[in-house]
């Protein structure tokens, strides 16, 4: 239940005399004055497992899926990063060039409740063409291919 604690999964915790006591799956106990919960997708579960943690301090789980499309069949038209103006939940569909000179565009933001959903939906390409053409109008039709997707935990949800 939760995240990593000294290499073991943290399964529970409680406030003990102003300190926090963490117990891991292997039975290890760790008493500390402060805990930094950086468990990523598991942060809300870990916070909820900490006894004595006020429920108002337990973050809600919000997940934003980000999809990338790659430029196909031609070298990158850019030598570096190209960022559009940021959007509400992200930096906008930007261009990156990897060390091999390959160009990718992304990520977009798609709110999801499934933190494991990393499949690229090819139908999202139409929105990518529209976004990329705002700063590269010469993007040819058929120039984008699905590349990869990832899911980021967020501290706020859609519209927050």
């Amino acid at each position: 239940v939760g995240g990593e604690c000294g290499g073991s999964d943290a399964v529970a915790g409680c406030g003990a005399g102003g300190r926090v006591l963490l117990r891991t799956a292997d039975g290890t106990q760790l008493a500390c004055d402060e805990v930094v919960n950086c468990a990523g997708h598991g942060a809300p579960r870990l916070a909820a497992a900490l006894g004595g943690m006020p429920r108002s301090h337990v973050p809600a789980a919000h997940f934003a899926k980000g999809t990338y499309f790659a430029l196909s069949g031609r070298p990158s038209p850019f030598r570096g990063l190209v960022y559009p103006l940021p959007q509400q939940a992200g930096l906008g569909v930007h261009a990156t060039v990897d060390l091999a000179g390959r160009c990718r565009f992304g990520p977009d933001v798609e709110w999801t409740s499934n933190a494991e959903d990393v499949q690229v939906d090819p139908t999202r390409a139409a929105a990518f063409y529209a976004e990329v053409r705002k700063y590269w109008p010469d993007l040819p039709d058929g120039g984008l291919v699905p590349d990869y997707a990832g899911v980021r935990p967020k501290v706020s949800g859609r519209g927050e």
Side-chain angles (χ1 to χ4, degrees):
V1 176
E4 290 288 314
C5 179
S8 301
D9 289 335
V11 295
C14 63
R19 302 192 84 199
V20 177
L21 178 66
L22 296 175
R23 188 179 74 249
T24 64
D26 68 3
T28 302
Q29 292 192 28
L30 176 67
C32 50
D33 295 321
E34 295 179 6
V35 173
V36 176
N37 179 354
C38 53
H41 292 170
R45 278 194 324 262
L46 178 60
L50 296 175
M53 169 78 75
R55 291 293 164 215
S56 62
H57 293 333
V58 175
H62 301 287
F63 303 111
K65 178 178 175 179
T67 296
Y68 288 80
F69 280 79
L71 183 61
S72 176
R74 64 181 296 165
S76 174
F78 311 109
R79 289 187 304 210
L81 302 172
V82 177
Y83 280 91
L85 292 174
Q87 298 174 346
Q88 183 218 0
L91 296 174
V93 173
H94 52 274
T96 59
V97 182
D98 66 19
L99 294 175
R102 186 171 174 233
C103 185
R104 329 188 142 78
F105 300 96
D108 62 351
V109 174
E110 177 184 0
W111 293 103
T112 181
S113 59
N114 181 357
E116 306 299 319
D117 178 13
V118 294
Q119 297 297 313
V120 174
D121 177 0
T123 65
R124 296 185 75 77
F128 272 75
Y129 280 100
E131 288 300 313
V132 172
R133 285 179 173 145
K134 289 178 182 175
Y135 56 88
W136 185 35
D138 294 335
L139 172 63
D141 290 340
L144 297 180
V145 294
D147 199 25
Y148 68 96
V151 178
R152 303 177 304 278
K154 300 291 250 179
V155 296
S156 58
R158 181 190 328 252
E160 295 181 346

